[in-house]
């Protein structure tokens, strides 16, 4: 972040909060067919089916997140980043990519002197162009391990899901002792965002998930 003191911090989930898509799967469908043609399209479909089956069997989102990144083993990081930039440019130029009220709210926070922070289970190649578009100062996310320029299929640390989001928010707040959590905002759409949302004074639900709404009402 910059050396200037932010007026307050704003933490925002990404998938179905800032953008209408699930960024990881959306980029999966872009990357592998563009890089490998029909063979890549079949791989993307297999990964999607594997993740759907895993979740249907009751796996948690963090486990599915780790499984997703195993599919990237052996992919050159430079190629991933280059195609992520192309993916974002194409998707952002089309209609309906952003959740417009959230985008407008984040830009207004930036105008008012806040530091916006994206907090997501997605990964830097996908999130960096999004952060630039929004004016976010920082990205807290799942981070694939790279060795000699190639994805290993493993993560550095835990997936940025659920309680990991709480820990990330607390750590960043600790870097800004002059910013009160009560003055900060957080945006999320799913109950897995609740640990992040309850760390700030102004949690904002995006969408109409009744489970998340019930929890936020109870916590108010």
């Amino acid at each position: 972040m910059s050396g200037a003191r932010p007026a307050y911090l704003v933490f925002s989930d990404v998938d179905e909060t800032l953008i209408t898509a699930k960024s990881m799967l959306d980029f999966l469908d872009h990357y592998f067919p563009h890089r490998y043609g029909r063979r890549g399209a079949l791989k993307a479909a297999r990964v999607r089916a594997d993740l759907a089956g895993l979740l249907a069997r009751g796996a948690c989102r963090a486990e599915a997140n780790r499984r997703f990144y195993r599919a990237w083993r052996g992919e050159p990081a430079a190629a991933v980043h280059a195609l992520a930039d192309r993916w974002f440019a194409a998707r952002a130029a089309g209609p309906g990519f952003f959740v417009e009220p959230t985008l407008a709210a984040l830009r207004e926070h930036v105008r008012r002197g806040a530091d916006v922070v994206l907090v997501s289970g997605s990964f830097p190649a996908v999130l960096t162009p999004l952060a630039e578009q929004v004016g976010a100062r920082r990205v807290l996310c799942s981070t694939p391990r790279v060795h000699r320029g190639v994805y290993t299929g493993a993560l550095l640390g835990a997936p940025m899901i659920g309680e990991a989001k709480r820990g990330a928010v607390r750590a960043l707040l600790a870097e800004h002792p002059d910013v009160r959590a009560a003055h900060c905002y957080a945006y999320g759409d799913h109950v897995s965002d609740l640990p992040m949302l309850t760390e700030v004074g102004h949690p904002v639900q995006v969408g109409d998930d009744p489970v998340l709404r019930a929890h936020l009402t109870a916590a108010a």
Side-chain angles (χ1 to χ4, degrees), residues 78-149:
V80 174
H81 279 264
L83 279 173
D85 287 343
R86 288 176 54 185
W87 164 81
F88 176 75
R91 293 292 274 116
F97 181 61
F98 286 100
V99 178
E100 293 295 340
T102 306
L103 178 61
L106 296 185
R107 286 176 169 169
E108 176 61 17
H109 286 303
V110 171
R111 191 191 68 78
R112 290 162 55 187
D115 277 357
V116 169
V117 182
L118 302 186
V119 189
S120 172
S122 195
F123 58 122
V126 170
L127 296 172
T128 298
L130 267 168
E132 292 173 356
Q133 180 82 6
V134 175
R137 292 280 191 173
R138 193 132 158 198
V139 172
L140 307 174
C141 63
S142 298
T143 305
R145 184 182 296 274
V146 176
H147 179 66
R148 294 183 177 176

